[in-house]
Amino acid sequence: MKILIAGLGLIGGSIAKALHAYTEHSVYGWNRTRAVAKKAEEEHVIDGIADDDCSGYDMIVVCLYPGHIRQWVRDHAATMSEGTIVIDVSGVKTDLPQEMHDVCAPHGVHYLSCHPMAGKERAGYDVSDEDLYQGANFIMTPLPETPKYVLAQVRNFAHQIGFRKFVITTPEMHDRMIAYTSQLAHVVSSSYVESPVIELESGFSGGSFHDMTRIATMNEEMWTDLFMENRGSLLQELDILIENLGEYRKALADADRGRVYDLIRQGRLRKEQNLENRRMSPAVIDLRDKKV
């Protein structure tokens, strides 16, 4: 295929590098800062720098912040060739899939909103990695009118660059689940490092501390957008977390050893069941009929 990557940051740069390393596809790059695209070209990560004419591509992967995705697609859809498949990598869906479908469909372009479940605590092309997606999960949120062959082609594309588990779900369920599995963890990490004793942690910290604080170095511009676009689902998860923390606080304040023991045991059993469910889950999961 001839593929265009729009946005060569961590995610787009890693996709371009993986395509270059593991496939025979030709890859072109578009980036708001041309110097980044030039660097990718000089490193032979992309075969050329794209301009604003998006004709002739089999697939276009839009790797921009959620708000920028909408504008970029609106600006370029009319130049795309009929039959082109456009995917995004947005961490929040809300109305994005339907909006972009409505923009692309009149031009014979297929739009499928996706989410590669991989990343790093740092952003930018310089930290992109051809192996970022090895063994990772890939989420697709098709609309009822999305052709099956588009799903198949995008899944094959993702498999070629390393993804091994695929979830098909609705935009609504995606946002509800991502609030729990990703966004809440970032909020917790950011809040956790606000303790004043962090200034003295060197020599006292081990794996637990580093696991909990790694993602506190998140990109504030991108994550502010993600939190605000998905604030309804994120608020639901925050309320649940605060309630659960309150249980621990009350048990400790009451010196209730039995209750502390029960809370720890309850969490252990829940996580062990989660690990067993993950072990048994198939490579392709279709959750379009599920509710949360």
Side-chain angles (χ1 to χ4, degrees):
M1 292 191 294
K2 184 179 180 182
I3 300 174
L4 169 61
I5 311 295
L8 294 169
L10 169 64
I11 300 302
S14 296
I15 291 174
K17 288 179 178 180
L19 287 168
H20 176 74
Y22 299 115
T23 79
E24 297 300 320
H25 303 307
S26 58
V27 184
Y28 292 79
W30 179 97
N31 200 75
R32 183 172 53 180
T33 305
R34 189 176 175 85
V36 173
K38 187 65 177 174
K39 183 175 184 179
E41 184 181 41
E42 290 171 351
E43 294 179 350
H44 305 291
V45 170
I46 59 176
D47 298 300
I49 299 174
D51 55 24
D52 286 330
D53 180 0
C54 293
S55 62
Y57 294 101
D58 300 293
M59 183 177 291
I60 298 174
V61 187
V62 187
C63 303
L64 303 172
Y65 294 165
H68 297 162
I69 290 171
R70 291 177 169 87
Q71 191 60 54
W72 193 92
V73 173
R74 291 183 188 279
D75 289 345
H76 294 87
T79 73
M80 297 175 189
S81 300
E82 185 175 354
T84 297
I85 296 173
V86 180
I87 68 174
D88 66 57
V89 298
S90 176
V92 176
K93 301 307 176 190
T94 57
D95 299 323
L96 180 67
Q98 188 66 58
E99 286 181 26
M100 296 299 94
H101 166 80
D102 293 345
V103 171
C104 291
H107 305 287
V109 174
H110 302 291
Y111 195 93
L112 176 59
S113 194
C114 301
H115 188 182
M117 293 302 295
K120 293 183 179 181
E121 57 272 24
R122 293 173 59 205
Y125 174 81
D126 289 338
V127 296
S128 59
D129 181 355
E130 67 185 39
D131 291 324
L132 181 66
Y133 306 116
Q134 294 299 314
N137 302 331
F138 189 82
I139 304 172
M140 297 178 282
T141 61
L143 300 174
E145 54 267 46
T146 305
K148 289 183 179 179
Y149 80 86
V150 171
L151 280 173
Q153 191 162 333
V154 172
R155 179 187 165 197
N156 185 56
F157 155 83
H159 190 271
Q160 289 176 336
I161 60 175
F163 292 96
R164 291 297 177 264
K165 180 164 285 189
F166 302 88
V167 176
I168 305 169
T169 189
T170 62
E172 295 77 18
M173 174 172 261
H174 169 276
D175 287 358
R176 182 71 172 88
M177 293 304 300
I178 290 302
Y180 173 65
T181 63
S182 176
Q183 294 176 351
L184 182 66
H186 285 76
V187 170
V188 171
S189 185
S190 181
S191 302
Y192 184 78
V193 298
E194 288 298 320
S195 171
V197 299
I198 194 173
E199 306 299 334
L200 304 173
E201 64 80 19
S202 182
F204 290 89
S205 56
S208 299
F209 175 83
H210 297 299
D211 288 345
M212 282 287 292
T213 60
R214 178 181 62 83
I215 54 177
T217 57
M218 60 184 150
N219 180 311
E220 57 268 26
E221 181 180 356
M222 180 182 75
W223 283 96
T224 297
D225 284 353
L226 294 172
F227 289 168
M228 294 305 294
E229 287 214 21
N230 201 30
R231 62 187 181 275
S233 292
L234 184 53
L235 281 168
Q236 284 182 273
E237 290 305 323
L238 273 171
D239 287 343
I240 293 169
L241 176 63
I242 291 167
E243 182 179 347
N244 291 335
L245 289 173
E247 289 288 324
Y248 264 102
R249 192 191 189 292
K250 184 176 187 307
L252 290 166
D254 293 345
D256 189 341
R257 180 183 179 87
R259 180 57 179 155
V260 172
Y261 176 96
D262 288 342
L263 288 169
I264 295 171
R265 183 173 187 276
Q266 179 179 312
R268 175 179 64 79
L269 293 174
R270 178 64 65 90
K271 181 57 182 176
E272 287 175 353
Q273 184 60 56
N274 166 249
L275 291 172
E276 179 64 15
N277 291 342
R278 288 169 61 91
R279 188 181 71 82
M280 298 295 291
S281 65
V284 179
I285 305 170
D286 192 333
L287 299 176
R288 283 174 286 186
D289 294 330
K290 299 290 184 181
K291 302 288 185 183
V292 289

